[in-house]
Amino acid sequence: MGTGVSKEADGGSEGTKDRLDDDDHQAGGQLYVSLKMENLKLTTHLVPHVYGSVPLVGSWDSSKALSMERESVSMWEISFVVPPNHETLDFKFLLKPKHSDAPCFVEEGPSRLLIGGALGEDARLALFKLDNGEVLEYQVFVKADRVSPFDLAASWRAYQDNFRPSAVRWIPDVSINSAPQTGGENGSSAGLELDLEHYVVPAPSTSAHVYAANMTENPRSLTSGSGGSSYSSKGMEVIVPDSSKVFQSSGMVESKSVGTFSPLQKQDSQRGLFVDRGVGSPRLVKSSSSNIFSSDLNLGTGTKNSMPAAAGAVAAAAVADQMLGLKEDRHLAIVLVGLPARGKTFTAAKLTRYLRWLGHETKHFNVGKYRRLKHGANQAADFFRADNPEGMEARNEVAALAFEDMLSWMNEGGQVGIFDATNSNKRRRNMLMKLAEGKCKIIFLETICNDKSIIEKNIRLKIQQSPDYAEEPDFEAGLEDFKNRLANYEKASSTVYEPVGEGSYIKMIDKVSGHGGQIQVNNISGYLPGRIVFFLVNTHLTPRPILLTRHGESQDNVRGRIGGDTAISEKGELYSEKLANFVRKRLKSERAASIWTSTLQRTILTASPIVGFPKIQWRALDEINAGVCDGMTYEEIKKNMPEEYEYVDNSSRKKDKLRYRYPRGESYLDVIQRLEPVIIELERQRAPVVVISHQAVLRALYAYFADRPLKEVPHIEMPLHTIIEIQMGVTGVVEKRYKLMD
């Protein structure tokens, strides 16, 4: 029943008094009074109260004071009705600790008088002196309206109707004068057990230490029944189907104006290029050979789009690359170069994850996986000697086969292939450039590490994780074999390893150390190569945790409303205290950690009890914009916007929730686009970060770390009052979950 705040700097109370004097003709009228206090410095552990004479409270006993309700991050409010014969009230404000019986703090100065709904001229500030000598200053605002008994009764009925039990949670939206819970669950005194593992809950099965090469593209040409290239037991026979036949058999239509192919069904003489901008409905771009536009497209779930499912500027750049560039510029091969145990595979996996998350069709092709499938995993170090012609020929054959597989995948709609192998001499790289000629653009990505301690650590991880040593029971024997293999590449007297100096390349020098390093770039141009360089500049392998959590339960969560900017509920406040206790214990030795929130008050309030760490507000972390539906329940959407509700509630939105936009709002793809700077900054950080945000935003962030397909983003479970800890380091990304409350 609260009313708006009147914040005129002067004359506010006089204006209220004049208005009430003019309304004296309303016989039987009563005063509806709203008192508000504002303090821009958050002090969530102290709750403002009011106590005083009849009829406001009826007692000067501070234990019976009325609690004010939080209206916003910095504003507290209490509303009441004053009968006509009690228009002069005598009262004071006081502050009470929220979760303890410690003494309260009564405001300085004489009692306040509220006469006719107006405070005295000198009553705009409330000062409280704390035990430590600190003085808290609150701004005081008052608004009073004279209402008839009939209007008052109607307002009360509306109040009861609007705050009925929620249809979503079936619990009261508002609890009036409810007693606080007692016992171990209430307040910081409950705390957390010393063993944080008490709160661990099972994480998805995919979150574990996984050898990155095992997650790469499966060798299609070495698998029976694969169409495309084939393998002959007498030797390596690479069969590449004629490109024109591939496109004709898959229903592709050639657009002669730009020299590209599109997955459109031929419809008489109609031809066009389908451009998926990542949002909205499919559209056609007319080609020079087309005289008619057709928007009646039948794109089944099995149809592969030639455009990446990206949004906004990302899609615009992709459209320009595909429509204006040559064919080889529309496909990009990132060819890794470097000695073993230099972080190539991990870098490739990380880059693949980033590009997929942005919406670019990207796959990681690991030549070692091809080699193990064809020649077995138990190859001794001699197999990798430069003076072993059989070994050299075998390794070149599987490299050519993997590269041809990558080109075939690109012809089917792939955009960026990450080709992961040592590629350590010019002869091998010249072979790859000849295979790519006219088909894709190559950028060499060379990783160089001069830190012997890091190399030793990487070698040991390789022995533990690589399938090459899965059947070697003796760790030391495997370690010796791998060092011999490495020595075969490092022989200074041979041309086994030749640093990249040709073509377009990116060199990462000592980046894995986490102490800066260097990046050298040569002949790099275009939107996507530029994004790749920017990502690699900011990435490193320093281990550190990233904690993701939703804000504590908000008032709109309870009411089943979309979006909004309400404060947190009592349950949400309890979670904020538990979260602060958790962060204090989990990050007690991490003085460089930071707390990131959105600009919405429910995340700011959740973070407010956390002390000792800097707090940063990101507008990019704000919840998905629900547009004109913001603050509404689904029932209200159904009532007020039936046509939109039909789409919101039907199966078509559920099938493509990724691209769905509320009117004048955002889609999940829009959220991903605005989160890219957040991802880059998270990659750049070397200390732990606690991200307190919202469901849709955290779904998108989690999808990046967990390498989940974009289509799954809107359906990822992101429960309230649960912390997801993402551990980033040289072994990849590992997840752990802590559930602090039900």
Side-chain angles (χ1 to χ4, degrees):
M1 291 180 63
T3 59
V5 183
S6 177
K7 293 191 178 183
E8 289 84 354
D10 52 20
S13 60
E14 293 299 324
T16 303
K17 190 175 187 303
D18 293 342
R19 184 175 66 255
L20 297 175
D21 291 340
D22 293 340
D23 292 341
D24 280 342
H25 65 277
Q26 297 186 20
Q30 295 177 300
L31 286 179
Y32 175 74
V33 181
S34 172
L35 292 177
K36 302 196 178 187
M37 294 177 63
E38 182 178 42
N39 184 356
L40 298 179
K41 295 181 179 180
L42 294 178
T43 54
T44 55
H45 64 289
L46 294 177
V47 179
H49 287 63
V50 178
Y51 75 140
S53 62
V54 176
L56 179 59
V57 177
S59 172
W60 285 96
D61 184 353
S62 61
S63 64
K64 299 180 180 180
L66 296 180
S67 173
M68 300 181 74
E69 298 295 329
R70 184 187 290 279
E71 185 182 74
S72 65
V73 173
S74 57
M75 186 76 71
W76 299 79
E77 189 261 355
I78 188 171
S79 301
F80 50 88
V81 175
V82 183
N85 59 338
H86 283 90
E87 293 190 358
T88 300
L89 301 178
D90 187 13
F91 69 95
K92 294 191 82 170
F93 294 108
L94 65 144
L95 302 178
K96 279 188 174 184
K98 183 185 297 185
H99 296 303
S100 69
D101 296 327
C104 57
F105 304 98
V106 180
E107 69 168 311
E108 301 290 311
S111 299
R112 294 177 175 273
L113 291 178
L114 184 71
I115 304 175
L119 290 174
E121 293 183 359
D122 298 329
R124 292 301 173 193
L125 288 179
L127 302 178
F128 300 88
K129 188 173 182 179
L130 306 185
D131 291 339
N132 59 4
E134 179 185 2
V135 176
L136 295 181
E137 181 179 290
Y138 283 78
Q139 293 283 337
V140 178
F141 306 95
V142 60
K143 186 172 183 179
D145 293 289
R146 192 180 296 277
V147 296
S148 70
F150 303 101
D151 292 337
L152 188 62
S155 298
W156 179 246
R157 284 196 300 273
Y159 175 84
Q160 289 180 313
D161 290 342
N162 290 334
F163 292 93
R164 63 184 182 276
S166 167
V168 177
R169 300 279 302 278
W170 203 248
I171 59 175
D173 289 45
V174 175
S175 299
I176 302 176
N177 297 330
S178 60
Q181 296 180 352
T182 59
E185 283 300 313
N186 194 14
S188 58
S189 59
L192 295 170
E193 278 75 2
L194 292 178
D195 183 8
L196 297 180
E197 298 299 316
H198 172 80
Y199 290 88
V200 172
V201 295
S205 58
T206 55
S207 58
H209 290 278
V210 179
Y211 185 54
N214 287 344
M215 307 301 292
T216 61
E217 175 68 1
N218 288 321
R220 62 173 76 181
S221 302
L222 298 181
T223 305
S224 60
S226 63
S229 305
S230 64
Y231 160 68
S232 172
S233 60
K234 295 181 180 180
M236 186 63 62
E237 180 185 5
V238 179
I239 301 176
V240 183
D242 182 71
S243 299
S244 61
K245 293 181 181 180
V246 172
F247 287 115
Q248 291 172 6
S249 63
S250 59
M252 307 292 282
V253 179
E254 183 179 4
S255 173
K256 297 181 179 179
S257 61
V258 293
T260 60
F261 293 91
S262 269
L264 297 180
Q265 301 291 335
K266 290 187 177 180
Q267 299 177 356
D268 301 329
S269 61
Q270 301 176 13
R271 293 184 180 181
L273 175 65
F274 174 63
V275 179
D276 179 6
R277 290 175 173 80
V279 291
S281 303
R283 295 177 184 165
L284 283 175
V285 174
K286 188 177 181 182
S287 70
S288 61
S289 59
S290 174
N291 297 319
I292 304 174
F293 282 104
S294 172
S295 60
D296 186 19
L297 299 179
N298 182 19
L299 296 177
T301 56
T303 304
K304 292 183 178 292
N305 291 336
S306 62
M307 309 299 294
V314 177
V319 169
D321 286 347
Q322 292 210 21
M323 294 181 64
L324 303 179
L326 299 174
K327 183 176 180 182
E328 57 266 32
D329 292 330
R330 289 182 284 110
H331 300 309
L332 181 61
I334 305 297
V335 176
L336 274 294
V337 177
L339 293 170
R342 263 58 173 185
K344 294 187 304 300
T345 297
F346 179 75
T347 301
K350 203 168 190 178
L351 184 57
T352 301
R353 176 161 49 92
Y354 171 70
L355 294 175
R356 281 176 179 166
W357 184 76
L358 285 181
H360 302 285
E361 286 292 331
T362 307
K363 281 191 176 180
H364 180 186
F365 294 81
N366 181 267
V367 175
K369 196 170 186 178
Y370 281 72
R371 170 180 54 78
R372 283 185 287 272
L373 186 59
K374 183 181 186 304
H375 299 287
N378 302 317
Q379 296 296 332
D382 287 346
F383 181 80
F384 301 92
R385 282 170 37 205
D387 56 355
N388 180 356
E390 291 81 6
M392 288 287 291
E393 182 181 0
R395 286 187 285 134
N396 285 333
E397 283 177 343
V398 292
L401 183 58
F403 202 85
E404 292 288 359
D405 268 3
M406 185 176 68
L407 294 176
S408 297
W409 168 77
M410 287 178 175
N411 280 336
E412 296 168 4
Q415 186 181 5
V416 183
I418 312 291
F419 188 75
D420 181 9
T422 55
N423 301 311
S424 55
N425 56 60
K426 291 183 179 180
R427 181 181 177 186
R428 164 72 70 83
R429 297 194 292 266
N430 287 337
M431 179 191 77
L432 299 179
M433 286 191 287
K434 185 172 293 186
L435 289 172
E437 189 173 347
K439 299 175 183 177
C440 72
K441 178 180 179 179
I442 283 184
I443 295 178
F444 294 111
L445 174 56
E446 184 176 13
T447 59
I448 300 173
C449 179
N450 298 308
D451 190 324
K452 293 184 178 180
S453 63
I454 292 178
I455 295 173
E456 180 69 21
K457 184 185 298 184
N458 288 347
I459 291 174
R460 291 183 172 273
L461 285 173
K462 187 92 169 179
I463 303 303
Q464 293 172 359
Q465 297 182 350
S466 174
D468 285 347
Y469 297 97
E471 299 180 7
E472 174 54 73
D474 188 345
F475 178 85
E476 293 301 327
L479 184 63
E480 183 66 23
D481 180 82
F482 188 82
K483 288 185 176 180
N484 290 335
R485 180 196 304 187
L486 188 57
N488 287 328
Y489 282 98
E490 293 176 325
K491 288 180 180 178
S493 59
S494 70
T495 58
V496 174
Y497 182 69
E498 299 172 286
V500 174
E502 67 273 21
S504 300
Y505 63 79
I506 305 167
K507 288 193 179 190
M508 300 176 63
I509 305 173
D510 291 330
K511 285 289 291 181
V512 296
S513 64
H515 302 295
Q518 301 178 41
I519 283 195
Q520 298 178 4
V521 177
N522 181 68
N523 194 24
I524 299 295
S525 62
Y527 174 80
L528 194 52
R531 300 308 303 162
I532 291 171
V533 171
F534 183 60
F535 175 75
L536 295 175
V537 165
N538 288 282
T539 191
H540 59 88
L541 304 182
T542 305
R544 77 278 190 198
I546 294 173
L547 307 179
L548 306 178
T549 182
R550 290 175 65 184
H551 54 80
E553 180 189 66
S554 71
Q555 294 172 4
D556 274 348
N557 287 146
V558 176
R559 298 166 189 165
R561 297 187 180 276
I562 301 170
D565 190 16
T566 58
I568 54 179
S569 66
E570 288 187 6
K571 191 173 182 181
E573 290 181 353
L574 178 57
Y575 177 69
S576 70
E577 298 290 342
K578 285 180 170 287
L579 176 63
N581 202 6
F582 178 92
V583 171
R584 176 177 61 84
K585 292 185 176 182
R586 175 64 184 85
L587 305 180
K588 58 184 177 182
S589 60
E590 302 284 355
R591 295 305 174 193
S594 57
I595 314 298
W596 296 4
T597 72
S598 72
T599 63
L600 301 179
Q601 63 170 327
R602 54 190 182 272
T603 65
I604 298 173
L605 288 170
T606 302
S608 60
I610 303 174
V611 296
F613 303 103
K615 297 172 184 174
I616 302 170
Q617 295 178 19
W618 286 74
R619 188 169 296 277
L621 290 175
D622 285 1
E623 178 60 299
I624 187 171
N625 185 356
V628 298
C629 299
D630 189 72
M632 300 172 68
T633 65
Y634 283 108
E635 286 298 319
E636 290 170 342
I637 297 175
K638 183 177 182 180
K639 179 180 179 180
N640 301 322
M641 307 169 63
E643 293 183 0
E644 187 65 27
Y645 178 81
E646 286 299 318
Y647 185 78
V648 170
D649 193 53
N650 68 14
S651 59
S652 61
R653 173 185 179 253
K654 295 175 182 177
K655 289 180 180 178
D656 195 16
K657 194 176 178 181
L658 182 70
R659 291 173 174 80
Y660 171 76
R661 278 177 173 163
Y662 287 104
R664 301 183 186 178
E666 287 182 303
S667 69
Y668 272 90
L669 285 177
D670 297 327
V671 172
I672 289 172
Q673 182 188 350
R674 66 169 156 93
L675 282 175
E676 186 187 8
V678 178
I679 288 296
I680 294 296
E681 191 61 22
L682 285 173
E683 288 286 358
R684 197 182 68 83
Q685 294 291 313
R686 285 179 164 79
V689 178
V690 180
V691 180
I692 304 173
S693 189
H694 310 268
Q695 180 169 246
V697 171
L698 292 176
R699 281 171 168 168
L701 290 178
Y702 177 82
Y704 168 77
F705 291 114
D707 197 15
R708 298 279 288 273
L710 288 183
K711 64 181 179 180
E712 295 182 10
V713 171
H715 310 288
I716 294 174
E717 184 181 0
M718 197 58 57
L720 278 171
H721 305 154
T722 301
I723 300 168
I724 300 177
E725 178 177 324
I726 305 293
Q727 187 70 40
M728 301 178 66
V730 294
T731 57
V733 176
V734 182
E735 172 189 343
K736 182 181 287 187
R737 296 194 177 202
Y738 303 89
K739 189 172 184 63
L740 303 190
M741 291 173 53
D742 292 329

